Amino acid sequence: MKFQASARKWRPQKFSQLIGQEHIVRTLKNAIELDRIAQAYLFSGTRGVGKTTSARLLAKALNCEQGPTPEPCDICTHCVEIRDGHSVDVLEIDGASNNGVAEARELIDNVQYSTSSCRYKVYIIDEVHMLSKSAFNALLKTLEEPPPGVVFIFATTEMNKIPETILSRCQHFEFKPLSHQQIMDQLQLICDQEEIKIDPGSLEEVAKNGAGSMRDAQSLLDQVIAFSGKSIDAGSVQQVLGIVGQDALIQFFDMILSKDGPALMQTVHNTTLEGKDLGLLCRDLLEYLRNLMIVKVAKESSALLDQKSCDIEALTRQAEAIHLDELQQMFQALSRAEMDMKRSSLPRTVFEMALIRMLDVRPFQNIDAMIDQINTMQPTAPASNHPVPAASPGPTAAPASAPAASSNTASNTASSPAPASPASAPVAGGGQNKWEQIKARAGEAKRIFATYLAQAEVLELSDECLHLAFPDPFTQGQADKDENKALLKEIAEAVMGSPSVKIKLDCRPASTPTPAQSDPASGKGSGSDKKKESPTEQQILQDAVEILGGTIIG
Ligand SMILES: [Zn+2]
């Protein structure tokens, strides 16, 4: 017997055989029964879900000698001719190769002639989105007033490319992608009928690689049958499909868990040598991560996993050894790699780099805990890390690290202590210097606190009061914490040599000028000082890395 492709041999010949599109079948059958046939239909959906098959079924239903009937007989001349693609009244046109305006005109001319023997003249235009704009325009007039007895059926995989004018003149049916189980069932049926032995795991792999398209899955099954004959084992499926198989995936993930970079790279190399597709390996790994996540998260994981292809025991063991955060980070790295591999001229390198990144993931830390850790961190070498701001020599130029007593003396001998004044330069001369001292000491005690102070504007600095304005409520709130406020009070009292300095912390209204504007004389100098004493973003990041032992990605 001559070989016939499964997709063709098993093409549904009745509406009842069409899998997964019950909503469409029902509407079409009703339309036929009630004699409410539209003049133009648009079938959209991914490849291999039954669009063209449905179009032919509809053509048969309309033209069957017993009909029009929702159940065409499939033996009359019309049914047979349509099924075999020989009918002169049912024309199948490939939109991709007949996309010009000339072909559209030819079709329109042809539409005017009546049918030769059938009841309806049916035009099935596949991949209709490939038609040129002018071809669509030429069609439009015919669609507006089609001659009686003519039915257009357009099929497309790319709905968004169909012009609105065409869309509004068609009855639109959206075909659903087929579920994994629907494809599995159909493949099993074919294997049973053809007396082919295949284990459930292999069948699962074939169905999965069809990616929702029955036609693709059936073609893959044909390939596997051609390779291994009547008895199909897992090895031959893996070889034909270019995939690595479940056991290899388990081993692969064990290498990731044990952070065995050399073994991983060797495996990638071997996989390539065996002619297997790294893109598919990447996809399978992504799915494997999903299975691990399900085992970790779901209480009844077995219901959510494809048990035929999963080794639950291995998954459970590996899931226990990994944190959910790590799984998510791995998934991110891999899914990005999967996309990048498709565009890259070096897909293998993209994949290898992603694997290396996967070896380096760590669980996330709670951000509050992290901030607390940074806050409580002891400065290692304050003298070198936080140089005392350059100040003009004078009686008030006490070093930042000087004991409180020395500051007292300095303050007492100061000729003009900072006046409590709301003027635009409230901390002139020695006051500015004292403020720098306060900030420097605050930085030594608590580095992060100094970064808040650096943003503050001094409204008043005197023996009685330190009044600061912060640029935003958040910074103000951070500085206003009891512990920070107490620290600031202690430092201010020491620097000012005063028994009690009142601390007032406000949020600066938007209209108030910034310190740089209000104090132009010291603007440039103090600006660079601030830069020196407040740790840069880089330093903070570095601290975080040291404390937490993390890695900076990106
Ligand atoms: Zn018939």
Side-chain angles (χ1 to χ4, degrees), residues 42-348:
L42 176 64
F43 293 171
S44 71
T46 65
R47 45 191 266 119
V49 291
K51 297 186 298 294
T52 322
T53 301
S54 299
R56 284 187 199 157
L57 282 175
L58 181 58
K60 270 203 298 192
L62 292 175
N63 286 326
C64 176
E65 284 169 9
Q66 318 283 329
T69 165
E71 298 293 345
C73 72
D74 216 25
I75 44 170
C76 71
T77 327
H78 292 163
C79 281
V80 170
E81 277 181 0
I82 294 170
R83 186 187 66 204
D84 296 342
H86 298 147
S87 173
V88 286
D89 291 322
V90 176
L91 288 121
E92 280 190 45
I93 299 151
D94 176 20
S97 49
N98 299 289
N99 59 356
V101 69
E103 286 91 351
R105 292 238 166 84
E106 196 185 318
L107 189 148
I108 292 158
D109 289 345
N110 187 286
V111 166
Q112 312 304 327
Y113 302 111
S114 58
T115 58
S116 60
S117 61
C118 285
R119 213 171 284 116
Y120 285 91
K121 211 164 187 178
V122 182
Y123 291 89
I124 301 171
I125 305 184
D126 210 1
E127 302 296 334
V128 70
H129 61 270
M130 300 290 279
L131 292 191
S132 66
K133 202 177 165 204
S134 43
F136 270 126
N137 284 338
L139 254 183
L140 202 57
K141 186 115 185 64
T142 313
L143 276 184
E144 275 169 353
E145 294 168 38
V150 171
V151 175
F152 285 97
I153 306 173
F154 303 126
T156 182
T157 48
E158 294 183 52
M159 188 54 202
N160 55 336
K161 289 188 181 163
I162 309 294
E164 189 59 39
T165 44
I166 298 283
L167 213 58
S168 62
R169 288 173 174 81
C170 296
Q171 238 184 61
H172 177 206
F173 289 102
E174 212 172 317
F175 283 64
K176 291 188 213 156
L178 298 177
S179 78
H180 190 62
Q181 194 57 47
Q182 284 165 335
I183 295 180
M184 283 273 288
D185 291 346
Q186 179 67 8
L187 294 184
Q188 186 67 62
L189 183 88
I190 294 173
C191 288
D192 290 347
Q193 298 279 320
E194 310 257 334
E195 292 174 351
I196 284 158
K197 270 197 248 164
I198 183 166
D199 64 288
S202 301
L203 200 66
E204 178 107 19
E205 289 292 359
V206 175
K208 194 171 81 185
N209 280 272
S213 162
M214 185 68 85
R215 186 170 59 230
D216 289 357
Q218 288 173 342
S219 303
L220 285 174
L221 183 66
D222 285 345
Q223 279 183 47
V224 175
I225 293 171
F227 181 82
S228 47
K230 290 269 178 189
S231 178
I232 298 169
D233 59 32
S236 52
V237 170
Q238 287 162 19
Q239 205 150 347
V240 172
L241 300 182
I243 55 171
V244 298
Q246 201 61 25
D247 291 343
L249 280 177
I250 294 172
Q251 282 175 21
F252 204 83
F253 202 76
D254 273 334
M255 291 174 207
I256 292 174
L257 280 180
S258 58
K259 303 201 184 294
D260 191 346
L264 271 178
M265 292 305 115
Q266 187 60 48
T267 311
V268 171
H269 183 67
N270 295 345
T271 309
T272 321
L273 283 186
E274 287 163 21
K276 289 179 178 166
D277 188 337
L278 288 182
L280 292 179
L281 174 58
C282 186
R283 185 204 64 189
D284 288 347
L285 270 177
L286 278 170
E287 204 180 345
Y288 196 83
L289 289 178
R290 184 255 175 192
N291 292 346
L292 282 169
M293 182 274 290
I294 292 291
V295 168
K296 236 183 146 48
V297 171
K299 287 194 180 103
E300 279 297 319
S301 58
S302 50
L304 298 169
L305 294 171
D306 288 324
Q307 292 194 51
K308 292 182 200 78
S309 65
C310 284
D311 183 340
I312 305 274
E313 204 177 304
L315 282 173
T316 312
R317 170 177 62 79
Q318 291 176 334
E320 275 168 12
I322 193 167
H323 199 277
L324 199 57
D325 286 342
E326 295 175 294
L327 270 180
Q328 282 179 323
Q329 291 172 61
M330 286 182 181
F331 186 85
Q332 270 179 350
L334 259 192
S335 60
R336 197 164 140 186
E338 201 217 3
M339 283 190 289
D340 290 350
M341 282 168 83
K342 287 176 187 156
R343 282 174 302 192
S344 172
S345 57
L346 299 167
R348 175 176 169 172

Side-chain angles (χ1 to χ4, degrees), residues 361-411:
V361 299
R362 284 163 211 271
F364 290 128
Q365 299 272 343
N366 181 297
I367 191 79
D368 289 333
M370 198 162 118
I371 289 173
D372 281 349
Q373 262 181 300
I374 294 176
N375 281 347
T376 53
M377 191 180 70
Q378 292 299 316
T380 43
S384 59
N385 276 356
H386 308 286
V388 178
S392 58
T396 56
S401 53
S406 136
S407 283
N408 279 347
T409 332
S411 163

